[in-house]
Amino acid sequence: MTAVPGNERGIALVTVLLLAAVLLALLVAYYTVTLTDLGATGSSMDNVRGFYAAEAGINLRARDIREIFIGYNRPAGTSPDEAPDVPCRGGNDGAGDFGCVAYALQQRSVDTYVVEDAGNPFMITVPRGEWFQNLSAQVYRYRISSTARNAADDVEAALDLVFQSRLIPLFQFAVFYNKDLEILPGPAMVLAGPVHTNGDLYLDAGTTFDIQGQVSTAGDLYRGRKEVDSCNGDPVRVDDPAAPRELPPCGGVRTQILEGALGPWNGMIETGVEAVTVPAPEELDATPGALYWDRADLRIMLDLSAVPPVIEIRNPDDSVDGARTAALGACGAASRSTSFYNFREATAIQMLDVNLRPLLDCAHTNLLLYDNRTLDDTTDGGLVFYLGVEGPAAAGINNYGVRVRDGGEIAATVGGAPAVAGLTIASNQAAYIQGDYNAVGKRPAAVLADSLNILSKAWNDDNSLEELGDRIAASTTINAALLAGTDTSGGVEGAAGHDLGGYNGGVENYPRFHERWTGRTLTYRGSFVSLNTPRHVDGAWEDQSYTPPNRDWNYDTDFNDAANLPPLCPRFVYQKQELFDRQFEM
């Protein structure tokens, strides 16, 4: 073995030590970088969790704002000061619907508050290309601020959302259904105005059918019928956007029109849109807490449980207002009738009969309205009258009804009575409009009920049990938005109801008829809204005894102006984001 010189052994040792030092330094550096990366990753994960917690807080507050509008109220309150103080800290909380609300979300504390735009409210026309384009919407703009803090009270994320709450009246649609919608007219028909359904839409025609407005459905669109697999094939046209364009042919059978085929209509036909939230049918109940009962200016109830039955004016808490009830009785504007026979329901109707103009006279002369309001009250855009029937069968299928007569002009006849700004009549039972309604001096008007019947101005109860040839209608005019339940073909919503028979009559039979209208015209301007099936009648369309009128029907374009909408007009609310901003990141 050859010996290594001492100086070389020393150099080798120094080299090894240097290499060890370098490796150690690299190891230390790697360890330090790893710790830094782990810390950064942990910090980043904390920020992500904070971001999602703050975002959840925004969503919760936006939902609360929407629910307030759905309840026909407007958010109110004060926001916390944003400068120089820190919002939601040290008692700087604001109050009411805009004040601070704290949530525990994802192991974080999330503080939220709302700031209202000083310009609220304002009106817009929904721009083309958006859902519900060309409709008028009342808009309220808000900003929601949301700050997420960790357990150490450090801010991890602070977000702002600027959004609009848009309120669109249901009576801005020619037809709005919260269920399957069928429009299948025999005679030629033109329907001017938007059409929407939260269910499926079925379109067919016996001759021609034109829709001059946007068509939208949350479900599917079909050419043809629902209750049977057939399609007449006559032209059905929808404007594009101003000229009529015929829908694809159906070949004699029900045919679904897919979204890909709708391009030529340039957004005037939309399928699969988001279903909108609408008022529940319980809002028409005769009970405290129900919208139209609570907000009514006058509540007249026929109580069939009493012996003998009585007609009473009720207070909001459902107690009897004795003095006003006595005054109403002296006026003779409301009475009970049992002389009307309904062939569709195969029964005589226990009817609350109201003569509208004498009732308005009586309301003015005797201060019948709640809280001594006057006929020109505009609390909800005009007057709201609740006309109802209660009795042993009030909650289920029954033979109860409310009839409004002498409503050709919505005005009192006594001297000095102020003009009525508008009138909405709501009922928990079937409604019957007899004769011209709102035909002279037209006012914003609506009738909301479980189902809707029209009797011409020639109607006579004495003939209600006679043959159809003895029930000859006279041409009649009605100007009012209508909201009522309608039957469902096949009794089942959606495609599961296909081919089950039981046609519901379609929009062309939305109002129920009881006379021979052959050669007579029903002139109608308004809006057809159906939110549900009737809860208190179950007679089938095919059991009616009538012939249809000449239908001079159209959407009332006056409703395009919010000032002309009926009082307490039902509406839907949706929100549109304007700006989403992350203010702060740790």
Side-chain angles (χ1 to χ4, degrees):
M1 174 180 292
T2 304
V4 178
N7 61 338
E8 292 183 10
R9 289 198 300 271
I11 293 171
L13 179 61
V14 170
T15 301
V16 169
L17 291 174
L18 287 173
L19 288 173
V22 169
L23 289 174
L24 180 61
L26 289 173
L27 181 61
V28 170
Y30 176 78
Y31 180 73
T32 302
V33 169
T34 300
L35 288 179
T36 302
D37 286 347
L38 286 173
T41 300
S43 177
S44 177
M45 289 298 295
D46 287 341
N47 285 340
V48 169
R49 293 189 183 98
F51 174 89
Y52 286 124
E55 184 181 40
I58 280 178
N59 292 335
L60 289 170
R61 289 307 294 270
R63 178 204 63 188
D64 291 344
I65 294 293
R66 182 172 179 270
E67 290 298 321
I68 292 169
F69 281 114
I70 288 175
Y72 287 81
N73 294 301
R74 175 178 174 175
T78 56
S79 307
D81 293 332
E82 295 187 296
D85 299 323
V86 177
C88 307
R89 284 290 185 270
N92 180 23
D93 294 328
D97 299 318
F98 303 147
C100 294
V101 174
Y103 302 101
L105 300 168
Q106 303 215 3
Q107 292 80 52
R108 271 111 182 123
S109 173
V110 179
D111 293 326
T112 65
Y113 63 93
V114 180
V115 178
E116 181 173 18
D117 191 290
N120 285 345
F122 56 96
M123 297 297 298
I124 66 166
T125 298
V126 179
R128 279 192 57 80
E130 295 186 16
W131 288 350
F132 313 116
Q133 61 185 1
N134 303 320
L135 296 182
S136 295
Q138 189 178 43
V139 179
Y140 294 79
R141 181 184 287 115
Y142 299 96
R143 171 170 55 86
I144 298 175
S145 290
S146 180
T147 302
R149 290 179 168 85
N150 60 21
D153 205 34
D154 297 324
V155 175
E156 290 182 333
L159 309 179
D160 276 351
L161 172 70
V162 179
F163 70 99
Q164 298 176 0
S165 280
R166 291 181 176 179
L167 283 59
I168 295 185
L170 298 187
F171 293 150
Q172 280 199 341
F173 291 85
V175 181
F176 184 104
Y177 270 42
N178 189 39
K179 55 198 293 295
D180 288 349
L181 168 59
E182 300 161 75
I183 314 179
L184 314 167
M189 183 175 179
V190 176
L191 188 60
V195 173
H196 174 79
T197 172
N198 275 345
D200 292 337
L201 176 60
Y202 300 82
L203 300 175
D204 200 4
T207 50
T208 60
F209 174 35
D210 288 0
I211 300 178
Q212 298 173 349
Q214 182 182 9
V215 175
S216 56
T217 169
D220 295 322
L221 172 62
Y222 295 93
R223 279 283 278 116
R225 308 182 71 88
K226 177 184 177 182
E227 85 284 4
V228 62
D229 188 10
S230 71
C231 178
N232 288 340
D234 292 296
V236 175
R237 297 180 291 234
V238 178
D239 281 1
D240 160 39
R245 180 185 293 273
E246 187 174 343
L247 290 178
C250 55
V253 296
R254 180 179 56 244
T255 303
Q256 183 178 352
I257 301 176
L258 300 177
E259 184 178 358
L262 299 176
W265 280 266
N266 297 307
M268 291 299 289
I269 305 177
E270 294 184 335
T271 61
V273 304
E274 183 178 350
V276 297
T277 302
V278 297
E282 288 76 17
E283 297 293 1
L284 291 176
D285 284 349
T287 182
L291 174 66
Y292 289 91
W293 176 272
D294 284 352
R295 302 281 274 268
D297 301 285
L298 179 65
R299 304 166 193 84
I300 301 177
M301 294 296 296
L302 168 60
D303 184 0
L304 298 173
S305 299
V307 182
V310 294
I311 296 174
E312 300 167 330
I313 290 182
R314 303 283 180 84
N315 294 311
D317 63 1
D318 202 27
S319 62
V320 177
D321 189 320
R324 288 187 169 95
T325 295
L328 176 66
C331 291
S335 60
R336 172 184 173 232
S337 168
T338 60
S339 59
F340 178 94
Y341 185 84
N342 186 320
F343 275 91
R344 179 167 178 166
E345 305 305 322
T347 185
I349 302 300
Q350 295 263 21
M351 195 88 77
L352 170 64
D353 268 334
V354 173
N355 294 330
L356 184 59
R357 299 198 74 186
L359 177 61
L360 293 172
D361 289 346
C362 190
H364 172 67
T365 303
N366 296 282
L367 297 178
L368 291 187
L369 303 186
Y370 178 70
D371 205 25
N372 290 334
R373 295 169 184 166
T374 55
L375 294 184
D376 56 354
D377 184 85
T378 57
T379 301
D380 284 305
L383 300 178
V384 177
F385 285 1
Y386 193 98
L387 310 177
V389 183
E390 61 185 10
I397 302 301
N398 58 50
N399 63 336
Y400 304 163
V402 169
R403 175 163 50 184
V404 179
R405 299 193 276 199
D406 196 10
E409 182 177 5
I410 301 177
T413 65
V414 296
V420 176
L423 176 64
T424 289
I425 292 176
S427 179
N428 60 333
Q429 305 295 346
Y432 296 77
I433 301 174
Q434 181 172 327
D436 288 341
Y437 190 79
N438 197 25
V440 177
K442 188 176 75 167
R443 315 301 297 168
V447 178
L448 290 61
D450 185 63
S451 57
L452 197 288
N453 300 259
I454 290 179
L455 305 171
S456 82
K457 56 189 177 185
W459 178 262
N460 187 329
D461 279 4
D462 293 341
N463 296 328
S464 63
L465 266 171
E466 301 297 328
E467 298 293 330
L468 184 59
D470 295 317
R471 290 179 271 126
I472 306 298
S475 293
T476 300
T477 297
I478 294 177
N479 294 314
L482 303 176
L483 182 151
T486 54
D487 292 343
T488 296
S489 293
V492 181
E493 301 292 343
H498 286 176
D499 309 328
L500 298 181
Y503 179 47
N504 73 344
V507 167
E508 62 273 21
N509 289 290
Y510 176 104
R512 300 173 177 215
F513 299 109
H514 303 266
E515 297 166 89
R516 186 177 184 273
W517 283 83
T518 305
R520 284 18 179 217
T521 298
L522 174 61
T523 301
Y524 173 77
R525 298 293 182 270
S527 170
F528 292 126
V529 174
S530 177
L531 303 184
N532 56 289
T533 55
R535 297 185 292 159
H536 304 309
V537 293
D538 61 359
W541 168 76
E542 59 195 20
D543 293 334
Q544 292 182 109
S545 175
Y546 80 107
T547 61
N550 298 325
R551 297 180 177 96
D552 180 6
W553 296 2
N554 235 320
Y555 168 69
D556 190 340
T557 55
D558 286 350
F559 292 161
N560 290 335
D561 184 345
N564 294 324
L565 287 166
L568 205 57
C569 174
R571 65 198 186 191
F572 66 86
V573 182
Y574 74 101
Q575 294 175 327
K576 182 172 178 60
Q577 177 178 311
E578 287 189 6
L579 174 68
F580 184 77
D581 179 47
R582 186 168 188 172
Q583 292 181 314
F584 181 87
E585 185 175 358
M586 292 292 293

